[in-house]
Amino acid sequence: MPAHVARLGRPVERSRLARPAVEVAPELLGTVLVAGDRAGRIVEVEAYMGEADPGSHAFRGPTARTATMFGPPGHLYVYFTYGMHWCANVVCGDDGVASAALIRALEPLRGVEAMREARPAARRDRDLCNGPAKLCQALGLDGRHDGTDVVRGTDDVWLLEDGWTSDAAPVVSTRIGLTNGADLPWRWHVDGSAHVSRPSGRGGIVVG
DNA sequence: CGTTTGATGCTCT
DNA sequence: GAGCATCAAACGG
């Protein structure tokens, strides 16, 4: 593990991810996603509960696209949408069970200059990573990273904990951009963060 | 501020 | 063929 990565934290334990995404996702707030020389603190996540979730890509069973999501935890499920955007999930749950946490927003920590170059449309730094496709663009994540192991850090992509101490309560609300499963309260974000995609969905409630 | 609209191509029916 | 876990620009107030 490179020293500049170790400085930001230690890898999350895979066993911690081998649980349903609704349990894991809120715990990911405050962890650090690293991609090469760029890194950001996760401030917004959503849970997708696979075959039990009408909002999940895995709702109708495994397909070629969702193969990673059905695989072991600790890998990245990266998908392409709207003909132009990539979005990244941390795969949760046991091998064979589809469950994943969509990373929706980061607070930039390292490599901000590289992020600015990767996202010329961002007028302010708070616009670099405040959306699931924006953060993938900022970090240079795309289809090549589907299946990459964020516990072992293959492809220099890591998910770290202990790199940051949370001092803000998580807020729970409904997920963004869905038509199916839109009422399920499976979005969490750091209360008061200037780096989330939206301050609150419907019925935002402070949990912690 | 807010809302609306066009871009653009893969995935599954 | 329909829909999409989105974004940015272009509006109107």
Side-chain angles (χ1 to χ4, degrees):
Chain A
M1 177 177 203
H4 77 275
V5 175
R7 211 171 299 128
L8 292 170
R10 61 180 172 80
V12 297
E13 292 178 17
R14 200 179 306 277
S15 59
R16 181 179 161 191
L17 301 174
R19 297 152 49 221
V22 287
E23 297 179 18
V24 176
E27 297 179 3
L28 293 182
L29 294 178
T31 63
V32 174
L33 183 65
V34 182
D37 60 346
R38 303 166 228 180
R41 174 195 141 216
I42 297 177
V43 295
E44 179 182 346
V45 293
E46 285 177 354
Y48 287 86
M49 292 294 288
E51 292 172 288
D53 176 7
S56 173
H57 290 161
F59 182 53
R60 298 177 193 280
T63 64
R65 174 174 67 156
T66 60
T68 301
M69 201 174 163
F70 281 85
H75 295 251
L76 227 48
Y77 164 51
V78 183
Y79 69 91
F80 185 66
T81 191
Y82 288 101
M84 61 195 96
H85 297 303
W86 296 98
C87 296
N89 296 250
V90 175
V91 173
C92 303
D94 291 318
D95 191 3
V97 177
S99 191
L102 173 67
I103 305 172
R104 283 200 55 92
L106 303 175
E107 174 184 338
L109 291 179
R110 296 288 148 84
V112 175
E113 195 56 46
M115 294 185 191
R116 292 190 188 118
E117 292 176 14
R119 280 190 43 71
R123 301 188 142 270
R124 310 163 299 180
D125 283 353
R126 61 191 293 180
D127 297 320
L128 288 172
C129 299
N130 61 348
K134 294 178 186 178
L135 70 89
C136 282
Q137 193 179 3
L139 266 54
L141 296 175
D142 59 29
R144 300 189 307 263
H145 299 92
D146 182 43
T148 198
D149 189 334
V150 296
V151 176
R152 299 188 62 178
T154 53
D155 206 25
D156 285 327
V157 179
W158 303 82
L159 183 63
L160 310 175
E161 57 184 337
D162 299 334
W164 176 80
T165 303
S166 176
D167 58 356
V171 179
V172 64
S173 58
T174 55
R175 296 176 294 183
I176 294 174
L178 301 191
T179 56
N180 297 320
D183 292 331
L184 295 166
W186 287 347
R187 172 182 180 244
W188 295 265
H189 66 90
V190 173
D191 194 15
S193 172
H195 300 273
V196 297
S197 65
R198 284 164 45 176
S200 183
R202 279 175 295 135
I205 294 173
V206 177
V207 174

